[in-house]
Amino acid sequence: NADVVMTDEGGLQLVEVIVWDPWLADPQDPQELQEGEVTVTYLTHACMELQLGGKKMIFDPWLTGPAFARGWWLLHEPPADSMERLCMADLIYISHMHSDHLSYPTLKSLSATRPDVPIYVGDTSRPVFWMLEKRQVKLTNINVVPFGIWQNIDEHLRFMILKDEVHPELDTCIIVEYKESWKADFIKNERKKLMNYKAQLVKSLQPKIYCPFAGYFVEAHPSDRYIKETNTKNKAEELNALIKKSAPGITTWTPKPGAVLDLALALMSPSRKAITDPPSGTNIYKDSWDFDLYVDELNRAITAEIFKHKSWIQFYYIWAGFKNYNLVVRVIETDEDFIPIANGYNYLVDFMDLSFPTQRPTREHPYEEIKNRIGVMRHVVKNGLLWDDLYIGFQNRLSREPDVYHHRFWNHFQTELPVTGPDWDLFLQQVPSYQRSAEPQGIQTESVSASTFLEKADCTVS
């Protein structure tokens, strides 16, 4: 990098500009660690506890319930005292708003015991806790901190939150520094990269210890069996084996719930002594999930008053605010098996002018068909949620003509929807009273779900 400056003689001179990485600011002298002083305990998925001297820090606590509506469920059984550990934490870092990192069921349990626990998030363009008030979780000590600035906790411990380079508008990573002896950069959204790329990245960064986090979920719900069988994932063991092969000097760790890494021992000598595995007989993998509690909550949106009036479609997409893009989308409500419901909504949206035609336009246009499970789709619409629950949560099936990914469309519905949800009270006030009384109240239709779908005798837009 260079800049042009004027000399004292009135001439111009090219001057090299040195750009410092923010974590190089305010360097401190390294100090020796003692055994047991810094430990990392894996809890589940992306959640771990760092003990740093007298402080305990927990990352991305997802300890109960599903993520992405009902698409992801915990693979590992968290240690029995995980919630107690969370309540006793000195500070909590949450990397971003995706529900496998920001788990409202977990935070609801936390808030019942310790609502004032210090929680730190980065100042992302969309606030991490944009849904806090709507979810009615009473947390009173949320700290939104600027990127690239050291946050000093005590004389030895500080951390810095940085933008993630893959998703800078959404995701973050963190550098934790304790006695200037260790810098851990946890990049959260890289698991879908090829293993060779990860191995090369680890080799080039040359960390002392590498541990893959945040890939430990399973599509546990019976209706997602197809996804579970076909969504093959890279295994942490395979990645670590590849790293050991290409960079044998790097210690790798494939964590188990409750396993503890003693950093001082690991830095002294890469040996098994540095890692304490859970006691023999510990249940490592989850074998049951409380499906009904969470799925029934989603399906309660099916019978919401707004869906008795087909004009909700226009109201919702006008609220969403995406237009001036040549794409026509058909959205179809389905049952658990993605079979269209006989009296469910089936409608077109032309995002060129945000119109709702009854037939596809005659102009040349790309076309996308989205089949959504009715319970999740209506829950997303009713609450003004991002479409991650549908897309990342495996709750829809897509087909495209041509088969081209429309980044602008998906990016809008996954990151750029208004922070304030649709005003459905206003919508219902605007529905003419005669129309409300004239519309049928619905019939019942069988479905894979135990819930009863609200069907409409005359609601299909096709």
Side-chain angles (χ1 to χ4, degrees):
N1 296 299
D3 199 1
V4 178
V5 299
M6 182 173 290
T7 65
D8 293 338
E9 293 77 21
L12 298 178
Q13 183 178 0
L14 192 65
V15 177
E16 182 180 6
V17 177
I18 299 175
V19 180
W20 292 97
D21 291 321
W23 51 86
L24 299 178
D26 188 23
Q28 297 179 349
D29 294 330
Q31 301 178 49
E32 185 177 350
L33 295 180
Q34 301 301 313
E35 181 178 341
E37 187 175 3
V38 176
T39 61
V40 183
T41 301
Y42 171 71
L43 301 180
T44 186
H45 192 62
C47 182
M48 57 184 168
E49 178 191 79
L50 273 67
Q51 177 180 310
L52 303 141
K55 300 293 184 182
K56 290 189 177 181
M57 185 175 188
I58 289 184
F59 289 4
D60 288 345
W62 171 28
L63 302 176
T64 187
F68 298 112
R70 36 168 286 193
W72 294 19
W73 302 80
L74 286 169
L75 174 68
H76 289 144
E77 182 69 55
D81 65 346
S82 293
M83 187 57 69
E84 181 181 349
R85 288 172 180 261
L86 186 62
C87 292
M88 295 296 291
D90 293 291
L91 60 154
I92 296 169
Y93 160 69
I94 295 178
S95 60
H96 63 292
M97 64 185 174
H98 280 167
S99 51
D100 60 323
H101 299 261
L102 173 64
S103 167
Y104 277 109
T106 302
L107 295 181
K108 186 174 183 179
S109 297
L110 169 66
S111 66
T113 301
R114 193 181 167 203
D116 61 341
V117 61
I119 298 177
Y120 289 85
V121 298
D123 190 13
T124 48
S125 58
R126 187 182 194 90
V128 173
F129 278 98
W130 69 284
M131 285 291 293
L132 182 66
E133 184 176 351
K134 191 174 187 69
R135 297 301 293 263
Q136 298 181 327
V137 175
K138 306 297 184 182
L139 295 171
T140 61
N141 196 358
I142 295 173
N143 302 273
V144 181
V145 301
F147 293 116
I149 303 295
W150 285 117
Q151 306 297 318
N152 296 294
I153 303 303
D154 60 26
E155 61 177 329
H156 297 307
L157 173 61
R158 62 183 183 173
F159 67 90
M160 177 185 292
I161 297 179
L162 301 170
K163 287 185 179 181
D164 177 69
E165 291 302 319
V166 178
H167 299 286
E169 77 288 347
L170 173 72
D171 208 348
T172 68
C173 55
I174 190 170
I175 295 174
V176 179
E177 187 175 281
Y178 180 79
K179 288 189 174 181
E180 185 58 28
S181 60
W182 176 48
K183 293 180 179 179
D185 190 358
F186 296 94
I187 300 174
K188 296 299 184 184
N189 215 9
E190 290 293 309
R191 65 177 172 273
K192 292 184 181 178
K193 300 291 185 181
L194 294 174
M195 283 204 301
N196 283 332
Y197 167 77
K198 282 190 169 181
Q200 285 301 116
L201 181 64
V202 173
K203 184 178 180 181
S204 65
L205 292 175
Q206 286 294 308
K208 297 291 185 181
I209 302 124
Y210 176 77
C211 176
F213 287 98
Y216 305 104
F217 70 93
V218 62
E219 302 88 345
H221 195 276
S223 64
D224 289 324
R225 179 180 297 174
Y226 171 77
I227 293 292
K228 180 180 179 182
E229 293 174 350
T230 58
N231 185 27
T232 305
K233 306 171 184 66
N234 291 330
K235 294 183 178 179
E237 296 87 347
E238 295 173 352
L239 173 59
N240 284 341
L242 189 59
I243 291 171
K244 291 297 291 183
K245 183 177 180 180
S246 62
I250 297 175
T251 299
T252 60
W253 178 30
T254 302
K256 298 176 182 178
V260 179
L261 169 71
D262 187 315
L263 191 61
L265 290 177
L267 293 175
M268 291 175 194
S269 172
S271 68
R272 289 290 299 173
K273 291 192 307 180
I275 298 172
T276 304
D277 282 330
S280 177
T282 299
N283 188 18
I284 301 300
Y285 295 99
K286 288 189 72 68
D287 52 18
S288 64
W289 298 264
D290 196 349
F291 295 131
D292 291 343
L293 175 64
Y294 298 98
V295 176
D296 288 350
E297 180 184 358
L298 294 171
N299 285 340
R300 277 195 283 273
I302 296 171
T303 56
E305 175 74 14
I306 59 175
F307 298 112
K308 296 179 181 179
H309 317 287
K310 62 186 178 185
S311 53
W312 74 262
I313 299 168
Q314 291 90 329
F315 191 89
Y316 174 75
Y317 287 96
I318 290 171
W319 164 83
F322 182 70
K323 60 181 178 179
N324 300 322
Y325 185 77
N326 187 25
L327 174 66
V328 176
V329 173
R330 179 177 290 279
V331 181
I332 304 171
E333 292 184 330
T334 75
D335 63 15
E336 296 286 275
D337 297 318
F338 299 101
I339 298 173
I341 296 172
N343 295 307
Y345 284 108
N346 179 336
Y347 57 89
L348 289 167
V349 185
D350 185 347
F351 287 103
M352 178 65 81
D353 57 0
L354 198 51
S355 60
F356 306 88
T358 57
Q359 296 181 353
R360 287 176 58 177
T362 56
R363 74 170 193 280
E364 185 174 341
H365 62 272
Y367 173 75
E368 188 154 345
E369 185 174 279
I370 306 176
K371 294 180 177 179
N372 293 317
R373 284 176 173 155
I374 185 173
V376 181
M377 181 60 185
R378 293 195 179 185
H379 175 77
V380 167
V381 167
K382 178 176 179 289
N383 294 288
L385 303 179
L386 303 174
W387 282 25
D388 290 325
D389 285 339
L390 294 161
Y391 191 58
I392 304 179
F394 317 115
Q395 299 303 299
N396 57 19
R397 294 292 183 268
L398 311 173
S399 61
R400 304 181 179 104
E401 301 174 12
D403 189 11
V404 175
Y405 177 71
H406 296 281
H407 170 77
R408 280 187 56 193
F409 169 73
W410 285 106
N411 185 64
H412 184 92
F413 281 89
Q414 288 185 261
T415 67
E416 297 180 2
L417 290 178
V419 173
T420 303
D423 189 343
W424 293 117
D425 290 336
L426 175 64
F427 167 74
L428 290 174
Q429 292 171 16
Q430 292 176 344
V431 175
S433 58
Y434 73 87
Q435 179 184 352
R436 188 177 307 183
S437 61
E439 286 184 344
Q441 294 303 304
I443 57 175
Q444 294 183 355
T445 297
E446 293 291 335
S447 135
V448 176
S449 170
S451 303
T452 301
F453 292 149
L454 170 71
E455 262 59 48
K456 299 151 293 296
D458 183 22
C459 69
T460 304
V461 180
S462 59

